[in-house]
Amino acid sequence: MALAARLWRLLPFRRGAAPGSRLPAGTSGSRGHCGPCRFRGFEVMGNPGTFKRGLLLSALSYLGFETYQVISQAAVVHATAKVEEILEQADYLYESGETEKLYQLLTQYKESEDAELLWRLARASRDVAQLSRTSEEEKKLLVYEALEYAKRALEKNESSFASHKWYAICLSDVGDYEGIKAKIANAYIIKEHFEKAIELNPKDATSIHLMGIWCYTFAEMPWYQRRIAKMLFATPPSSTYEKALGYFHRAEQVDPNFYSKNLLLLGKTYLKLHNKKLAAFWLMKAKDYPAHTEEDKQTEAAQLLTSFSEKN
């Protein structure tokens, strides 16, 4: 109310003062200098009491707006703090391998407009889909759900490397349900988003690893799929094992031993390039990797190593 009090003191008419008392006496009917000034003043202000009340109401409205702004800013700060708290909980559950608890936590906020929350929800949905106890019907629903969350995350923040990464991953998963034509068509989009994720964050080993998978996938594409791709597209996607190997090694340099599957694919790529010594080295590392999730349990690495020993 301090502002209202100051404005009140500045009003031209105070309590006990007669309207027009500031004007020189005896000029009301004069055609001299002061007469017209007095007339124009009343023309502008109208009734002095009304003007005073109007100005006071304006001051109160201003104070109301200021109060609204303060409350709104406080609400934004509170909401931001709450989102940060949720993200901390989500990251803790993710690192602890609590896949289903993480999904249950984040689905409470599925209507959120926060990109950081949405891409984590996309990841959680996908992780639940990959659990061995998830039915095929449920898995399909979760895969499409994950893509929707990732898409929304990207719409909210195109500068988020994680949103690009998880949109590409989820789009790739959907391809398993939409046929070879859609899968090949989406491959260009997937590659574009992986490359954008790496550009935005060159230190994210997962994005680099995923580009390696993209290259590996198209390097080992079966002949019949290549034929279909050539029929459907003038320049179908293609790559080499050497390019895939480069990405897998680059990911390992950025973050050594970050992911059991990167170790496995280094071993498998060396096998494709007929380097059994280095293949065995990386497959052994994959087999001995401490398992935090179901995906970390690299039974494939153990099987490939067993086949080595049998052949030798």
Side-chain angles (χ1 to χ4, degrees):
M1 292 300 291
L3 178 60
R6 287 199 299 272
L7 285 169
W8 183 273
R9 288 196 295 272
L10 292 172
L11 290 174
F13 307 109
R14 301 180 188 173
R15 291 184 186 276
S21 60
R22 292 187 179 184
L23 296 174
T27 58
S28 60
S30 169
R31 297 179 65 87
H33 293 296
C34 292
C37 293
R38 184 173 182 271
F39 176 75
R40 284 196 296 271
F42 274 102
E43 239 184 357
V44 172
M45 290 190 291
N47 185 290
T50 304
F51 175 75
K52 180 171 66 177
R53 287 193 298 275
L55 194 55
L56 181 58
L57 287 171
S58 296
L60 291 172
S61 296
Y62 174 76
L63 285 173
F65 176 69
E66 286 291 304
T67 304
Y68 167 77
Q69 281 192 315
V70 170
I71 293 170
S72 296
Q73 287 167 3
V76 169
V77 169
H78 176 72
T80 302
K82 186 177 181 181
V83 169
E84 289 300 322
E85 186 181 323
I86 296 163
L87 295 180
E88 283 181 16
Q89 291 176 36
D91 291 343
Y92 173 78
L93 289 171
Y94 181 75
E95 293 298 326
S96 304
E98 297 283 359
T99 304
E100 289 170 303
K101 286 182 181 178
L102 173 59
Y103 178 73
Q104 288 165 8
L105 169 69
L106 292 177
T107 47
Q108 297 176 65
Y109 309 100
K110 61 184 179 181
E111 301 303 325
S112 172
E113 299 293 306
D114 189 277
E116 291 296 304
L117 201 152
L118 287 168
W119 72 252
R120 283 173 171 81
L121 180 51
R123 180 182 66 184
S125 302
R126 182 180 185 271
D127 286 348
V128 173
Q130 292 191 327
L131 293 175
S132 57
R133 56 182 169 273
T134 302
S135 69
E136 282 303 314
E137 184 180 350
E138 199 176 8
K139 180 179 179 179
K140 183 177 179 180
L141 289 172
L142 285 163
V143 164
Y144 278 93
E145 182 183 293
L147 178 62
E148 186 58 33
Y149 293 138
K151 183 180 178 182
R152 282 174 53 204
L154 196 56
E155 287 170 353
K156 298 302 174 188
N157 186 3
E158 290 190 353
S159 297
S160 165
F161 82 92
S163 296
H164 282 280
K165 174 172 69 177
W166 285 99
Y167 178 73
I169 292 169
C170 295
L171 185 61
S172 178
D173 290 343
V174 164
D176 293 338
Y177 298 99
E178 299 194 346
I180 186 66
K181 183 177 179 180
K183 197 163 189 174
I184 293 170
N186 287 341
Y188 295 101
I189 302 167
I190 291 164
K191 183 183 180 186
E192 179 185 323
H193 285 284
F194 283 150
E195 289 174 337
K196 187 64 178 177
I198 295 169
E199 178 190 324
L200 289 167
N201 186 2
K203 295 298 181 182
D204 181 52
T206 309
S207 298
I208 301 166
H209 162 80
L210 291 166
M211 263 309 303
I213 290 183
W214 191 95
C215 294
Y216 186 94
T217 301
F218 285 100
E220 73 163 359
M221 182 184 278
W223 65 268
Y224 65 90
Q225 288 188 2
R226 289 184 190 278
R227 181 174 291 179
I228 293 169
K230 285 179 181 177
M231 289 169 61
L232 297 172
F233 305 96
T235 53
S238 63
S239 193
T240 65
Y241 291 118
E242 286 81 5
K243 284 183 180 178
L245 190 66
Y247 280 113
F248 295 141
H249 271 299
R250 182 178 163 188
E252 207 60 32
Q253 288 165 3
V254 167
D255 190 1
N257 296 315
F258 75 103
Y259 187 30
S260 62
K261 197 168 182 180
N262 197 64
L263 303 174
L264 172 68
L265 283 165
L266 275 163
K268 290 178 71 173
T269 308
Y270 273 117
L271 272 179
K272 295 288 185 181
L273 295 171
H274 311 292
N275 189 330
K276 291 185 178 181
K277 185 177 179 180
L278 283 174
F281 172 79
W282 290 106
L283 290 171
M284 185 63 73
K285 291 192 75 170
K287 183 180 79 70
D288 296 338
Y289 191 87
H292 297 293
T293 65
E294 286 192 27
E295 197 176 12
D296 286 334
K297 297 171 185 176
Q298 290 300 340
T299 54
E300 187 179 358
Q303 289 167 358
L304 288 169
L305 285 166
T306 301
S307 68
F308 267 33
S309 57
E310 287 174 355
K311 288 178 182 177
N312 294 334

